[in-house]
């Protein structure tokens, strides 16, 4: 039996869960939405959801529609953004763990 959280469970931890309307704002208000995403514990899961499912509207994981379209065009070979982001986070966490030796 897997101990992984279901992919859709991240929504329960999203900072925007009670104010999702901010995520579908137009130009100037998108900055506010991106700020909410920056402080969200599940921004990566949110972004992967939008990229994997080609969601066209709103701010997801801190990226606007335009930014996601550009990323998808640039990396059209990516089959699973969820897996790519997960691997990147693991690599980044590992790099931080090894560089935290106290040297300054």
């Amino acid at each position: 039996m897997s101990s992984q959280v279901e992919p859709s469970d991240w929504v329960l931890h999203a900072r925007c869960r009670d104010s999702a309307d901010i995520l579908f704002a137009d130009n100037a208000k998108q900055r506010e939405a991106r700020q909410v995403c920056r402080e969200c514990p599940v921004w990566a899961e949110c972004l992967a959801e939008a990229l994997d499912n080609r969601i066209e509207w709103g701010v997801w994981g801190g990226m606007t529609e335009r930014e996601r379209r550009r990323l998808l065009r640039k990396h059209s070979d990516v089959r699973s953004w969820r897996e790519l982001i997960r691997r990147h986070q693991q690599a980044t966490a590992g790099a931080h763990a090894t560089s935290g030796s106290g040297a300054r």
Side-chain angles (χ1 to χ4, degrees), residues 56-67:
E56 295 185 25
W57 307 108
V59 174
W60 289 74
M63 292 185 83
T64 65
E65 303 99 334
R66 182 175 288 162
E67 292 167 330

Side-chain angles (χ1 to χ4, degrees), residues 10-92:
W10 63 265
V11 176
L12 301 173
H13 304 285
R15 286 196 69 227
C16 66
R17 71 184 170 277
D18 296 325
S19 58
D21 53 326
I22 191 174
L23 301 177
F24 298 97
D26 57 3
N27 302 328
K29 292 282 187 178
Q30 286 181 338
R31 256 178 282 185
E32 288 177 42
R34 291 170 59 126
Q35 184 60 38
V36 170
C37 295
R38 265 187 226 110
E39 299 168 3
C40 183
V42 294
W43 70 268
E45 292 85 348
C46 179
L47 180 57
E49 178 80 13
L51 292 169
D52 281 341
N53 294 299
R54 307 300 196 261
I55 297 175
E56 295 185 25
W57 307 108
V59 174
W60 289 74
M63 292 185 83
T64 65
E65 303 99 334
R66 182 175 288 162
E67 292 167 330
R68 290 193 311 275
R69 281 193 300 268
R70 188 177 324 126
L71 187 62
L72 288 166
R73 276 193 309 270
K74 185 175 179 179
H75 300 284
S76 60
D77 59 324
V78 174
R79 292 186 182 266
S80 172
W81 286 94
R82 185 173 315 281
E83 185 58 33
L84 181 67
I85 291 170
R86 184 178 297 132
R87 284 195 319 257
H88 175 72
Q89 286 180 314
Q90 289 170 344
T92 303

